[in-house]
Amino acid sequence: MENGTSSPVATGVGETGKGRRSRRNGTEVNLRYFLPANDSSTSAPKLGQETASEGEALIQAFKSGQHFYTLAVWKAVPEVNGGGSPVIVKQAVIKG
């Protein structure tokens, strides 16, 4: 279910026990879900309690009348394209 924003990660792909994984450009991304910290706002987001799954985040956010955040971690890595020129691409960081 894409939400129509410019989020770099689609959040509507199959759920696993540790959160959803999204495929974007052939990369598998481990998504994490957080409720906002007490002093958080949409203009200055701060992560609070992490939930085990998107479903739990939805329930907790609904019960408390607040929003929740989805986090994907990326790193920038160099890659050589077909013309031999280097480009910088994003690569999912594997949770470990």
Side-chain angles (χ1 to χ4, degrees):
M1 293 181 198
E2 296 253 1
N3 60 11
T5 64
S6 60
S7 172
V9 180
T11 59
V13 181
E15 190 166 338
T16 67
K18 296 198 180 209
R20 291 181 180 221
R21 293 183 185 260
S22 175
R23 286 196 177 267
R24 188 75 153 185
N25 299 330
T27 303
E28 206 168 283
V29 180
N30 186 21
L31 298 179
R32 297 169 64 186
Y33 304 94
F34 293 86
L35 297 174
N38 291 335
D39 57 345
S40 180
S41 70
T42 54
S43 60
K46 294 181 183 176
L47 301 180
Q49 175 189 354
E50 183 172 8
T51 63
S53 67
E54 182 181 39
E56 185 180 327
L58 282 165
I59 291 167
Q60 293 297 327
F62 178 74
K63 284 181 176 179
S64 61
Q66 58 187 347
H67 50 275
F68 70 94
Y69 298 106
T70 303
L71 176 71
V73 181
W74 303 91
K75 65 180 175 179
V77 295
E79 196 173 90
V80 178
N81 65 15
S85 301
V87 294
I88 299 173
V89 297
K90 68 180 184 181
Q91 182 179 74
V93 173
I94 297 174
K95 187 176 176 181

